[in-house]
Amino acid sequence: MKTFHRAASLLPIIMLLPAVPAAQTIRPRVLTMQQVVSLAQENSISAMNNRNSFVAEYWNYRSFKAELLPSLRLNASLGNFNRSLVQLQDFNTGAKSYRANYNLSNDAELYFSQNIPWTGGNLSLSTSLSRLDQYSPDRLTTYYAQPVYLSYAQSLWGYNSFKWNRMTQPKEYEAAKREYIENMEQVAQTAISYFWSYVSQKEDFERCSKSFEDSKRLLQAARTRFETGTMTRDQLMQIELEMLNDSIAVSSGSVSLRSALNRLCSYIGYQEDTQLNLIIEYDVPEIILDYNDVLERALNNSSFNLKQEIQYIRADESIAQAKANRGIQASLNARLGLSGSADRFNETFVELKDQEIAGVSLNIPLIDWGLGEGRVRMAKAQAETTRNTLKQSMSDYRQDLLTQVMQFNSQGSRCEVSERAATLARDSYELALQNFGNGSMSMTQLDQLKQKRDNAQSSYISNVAEFWNCYWGIRRATLYDYMTGTDISAEFDKLIK
């Protein structure tokens, strides 16, 4: 009896344990699962990082497009003062001597440039003006002007990066869009896991609290039976021990519940002292997926197939680059324009002279010991390895998608079965509590039924949580909402502003 009195003296403290989180509450917030998802996609650090990553990809794509557009630039070199000794060599005797150099130069060039993506060349139209002020041995000012000249530079049969970037960059930007939506769906999956983790902890805490109340009633009934001689002292002590264990479970459940709440609040951008009241829908929608339909949507909507296409192109690009860099390297440079020079600025443009410059530069490896050919073969081997890896990735992707579809299609029936099992286990335990009072149920049997009740309820919640995890996993794979029958999209224009 002293043990019972000691346990009873702990009751006021134990009953305060569940109220600790509520004491820190600022205000309750009522949220549905969809609202939790929306908050996570708006406020979570993962969502913010996802938005920043997409913006970076957007500007990378803008930079690529800018390279294909004409550009206008001004280059200037102003105030170049030079007072030094320079080495000169006499033309007739070959003797070298040092002479004083004392001048000031200013140069400016305005040029309009356009990359030619089809050939990889660069075309520019320019105008430039230079002024040289010589101070020693005599004061002399000279102007040199090129009012207009056209330049073109072109690598002959070389590697053209513009050609390959035009094939890959639009695909990479489209893949970045799809990956952004996929990452947002992953944020939703994580939020749902925190949502149902909190629901599970809340259910456990409420069961622990109810079990504690039940054990107190059982202890009262056991005392009556002990006083009438229908229960031994050992049995009474077991019931007292069970009540103490239930009180510890309440305390532990309170901490776990608070921890789950903190994780959920942190992820959706709420303060740690927020108290949530979640609206829980245990009924799952009846959806049966067709694998072929899921696979088609996944290949058309997700980033996986696009990324595969990009890697195939990159493999071919590596071979083309290796072939272009072997053997003879040649480049064409041409320049056509007008130029003039005079001591006065106005006279510089009076008698302009034609200027034509053209030439081909060659780089011919006479002996490279097979270096160029080796690089080509290495690129081909690496490209073949990439292709084989991509084929295996596609096979694994299809298998994983089939597994997801099969699991999802079976998860609905699991929820129904586990719900029925939880109802039966709960009713059996309630009936056992009633029978325990009249002596027709032993404590061992009661503990077994209690354990079955707890396991069945936990299994039910776990199956419902897994259903939604599978559903959002299918959403992420297909970028398609099977509940509304619409493709999942995002407002990209708002992201880049």
Side-chain angles (χ1 to χ4, degrees):
M1 296 303 293
K2 291 182 180 180
T3 304
F4 168 74
H5 289 304
R6 285 197 300 269
S9 65
L10 294 174
L11 294 184
I13 299 176
I14 295 171
M15 293 303 295
L16 286 174
L17 291 174
V20 171
Q24 300 175 351
T25 300
I26 295 178
R27 58 174 179 169
R29 296 179 182 267
V30 180
L31 296 175
T32 63
M33 184 175 67
Q34 184 58 51
Q35 288 174 325
V36 168
V37 168
S38 299
L39 286 169
Q41 291 179 334
E42 181 66 27
N43 300 329
S44 68
I45 299 299
S46 299
M48 294 178 186
N49 291 339
N50 187 31
R51 284 191 285 270
N52 291 333
S53 297
F54 172 75
V55 171
E57 290 295 333
Y58 166 76
W59 285 108
N60 180 60
Y61 179 64
R62 280 287 302 271
S63 299
F64 157 73
K65 293 182 67 177
E67 290 180 347
L68 304 180
L69 298 176
S71 63
L72 181 64
R73 297 190 180 185
L74 175 65
N75 288 338
S77 178
L78 305 177
N80 294 307
F81 179 76
N82 188 342
R83 184 176 183 181
S84 62
L85 294 177
V86 295
Q87 188 183 75
L88 299 178
Q89 187 173 19
D90 187 87
F91 176 79
N92 295 318
T93 64
K96 295 181 179 180
S97 61
Y98 288 91
R99 293 289 183 269
N101 182 37
Y102 188 13
N103 60 53
L104 176 69
S105 64
N106 294 276
D107 306 282
E109 179 186 24
L110 181 68
Y111 69 95
F112 177 89
S113 178
Q114 171 67 63
N115 291 316
I116 311 299
W118 301 277
T119 63
N122 179 268
L123 180 67
S124 63
L125 181 66
S126 308
T127 180
S128 65
L129 177 66
S130 300
R131 170 174 169 162
L132 178 65
D133 292 290
Q134 189 74 36
Y135 300 110
S136 176
D138 299 316
R139 177 67 185 267
L140 178 64
T141 298
T142 305
Y143 291 93
Y144 175 71
Q146 292 178 298
V148 59
Y149 61 93
L150 186 67
S151 301
Y152 184 73
Q154 168 71 59
S155 175
L156 302 177
W157 63 79
Y159 169 69
N160 182 2
S161 61
F162 294 110
K163 169 188 172 182
W164 295 99
N165 286 338
R166 288 181 70 199
M167 290 190 287
T168 57
Q169 287 293 336
K171 291 181 181 292
E172 288 184 350
Y173 180 55
E174 179 61 29
K177 287 183 176 181
R178 300 181 184 185
E179 191 172 12
Y180 169 80
I181 302 176
E182 290 168 351
N183 290 339
M184 281 304 185
E185 293 299 296
Q186 181 60 58
V187 169
Q189 270 190 282
T190 304
I192 286 173
S193 69
Y194 287 147
F195 177 92
W196 285 101
S197 175
Y198 175 69
V199 170
S200 178
Q201 292 295 339
K202 190 170 184 295
E203 289 283 345
D204 287 344
F205 177 74
E206 290 176 352
R207 284 201 305 273
C208 290
S209 300
K210 187 177 184 306
S211 295
F212 180 58
E213 295 297 328
D214 293 340
S215 64
K216 289 193 294 181
R217 290 196 301 270
L218 288 176
L219 186 57
Q220 294 293 339
R223 289 184 57 199
T224 302
R225 292 178 57 186
F226 177 72
E227 292 173 354
T228 59
T230 58
M231 175 176 287
T232 65
R233 184 175 182 80
D234 290 340
Q235 293 173 328
L236 178 61
M237 293 176 64
Q238 289 179 4
I239 296 174
E240 292 176 0
L241 179 61
E242 186 70 19
M243 187 198 69
L244 292 175
N245 289 335
D246 287 341
S247 69
I248 294 174
V250 170
S251 176
S252 177
S254 176
V255 175
S256 299
L257 177 62
R258 188 72 230 183
S259 178
L261 177 62
N262 289 342
R263 287 194 300 269
L264 177 58
C265 288
S266 174
Y267 197 71
I268 63 178
Y270 280 176
Q271 297 296 325
E272 66 276 2
D273 56 357
T274 304
Q275 185 67 28
L276 297 182
N277 183 13
L278 301 182
I279 299 177
I280 306 168
E281 293 290 343
Y282 288 100
D283 294 333
V284 298
E286 296 181 3
I287 302 176
I288 299 298
L289 301 178
D290 177 69
Y291 168 69
N292 293 325
D293 176 73
V294 172
L295 177 62
E296 182 180 0
R297 294 185 186 280
L299 294 179
N300 291 335
N301 296 347
S302 72
S303 64
F304 178 81
N305 205 29
L306 266 179
K307 289 180 178 179
Q308 290 245 316
E309 293 177 8
I310 293 169
Q311 291 186 66
Y312 276 116
I313 295 174
R314 291 299 188 193
D316 294 335
E317 180 186 8
S318 64
I319 298 176
Q321 186 174 9
K323 288 182 177 180
N325 291 335
R326 73 174 176 180
I328 299 176
Q329 305 293 312
S331 60
L332 170 66
N333 292 278
R335 183 167 177 171
L336 175 66
L338 300 172
S339 63
S341 178
D343 295 341
R344 296 181 179 182
F345 178 76
N346 294 335
E347 297 176 357
T348 304
F349 303 93
V350 175
E351 296 183 1
L352 296 175
K353 301 185 183 320
D354 293 342
Q355 184 182 68
E356 296 89 14
I357 301 174
V360 176
S361 60
L362 297 175
N363 184 347
I364 305 175
L366 300 178
I367 300 176
D368 69 349
W369 309 105
L371 178 62
E373 184 63 25
R375 288 174 176 171
V376 172
R377 294 192 177 187
M378 182 174 64
K380 288 182 177 180
Q382 292 175 343
E384 186 63 24
T385 300
T386 299
R387 294 189 188 100
N388 293 333
T389 302
L390 293 174
K391 290 179 181 178
Q392 184 62 50
S393 297
M394 176 59 76
S395 178
D396 295 341
Y397 180 78
R398 290 171 177 264
Q399 292 295 329
D400 291 342
L401 202 59
L402 176 60
T403 302
Q404 289 184 58
V405 171
M406 294 175 61
Q407 183 176 359
F408 176 81
N409 287 339
S410 64
Q411 198 62 36
S413 61
R414 290 183 183 179
C415 291
E416 294 179 3
V417 172
S418 60
E419 180 184 15
R420 178 59 178 165
T423 301
L424 292 175
R426 184 171 59 251
D427 294 343
S428 297
Y429 179 70
E430 294 297 332
L431 182 61
L433 282 177
Q434 298 175 10
N435 294 334
F436 184 82
N438 56 32
S440 60
M441 178 69 63
S442 67
M443 192 63 193
T444 300
Q445 293 173 318
L446 189 63
D447 286 341
Q448 291 175 350
L449 290 175
K450 177 184 175 182
Q451 186 65 34
K452 289 181 179 180
R453 179 205 65 177
D454 294 345
N455 291 340
Q457 185 64 21
S458 296
S459 177
Y460 174 48
I461 296 177
S462 177
N463 278 307
V464 174
E466 184 60 25
F467 173 89
W468 289 111
N469 181 66
C470 291
Y471 175 73
W472 285 84
I474 293 292
R475 276 178 53 115
R476 181 177 183 271
T478 60
L479 299 187
Y480 185 79
D481 188 345
Y482 283 90
M483 294 181 66
T484 61
T486 57
D487 289 328
I488 303 172
S489 60
E491 295 179 336
F492 295 107
D493 292 340
K494 292 183 178 180
L495 292 175
I496 59 181
K497 288 183 179 179

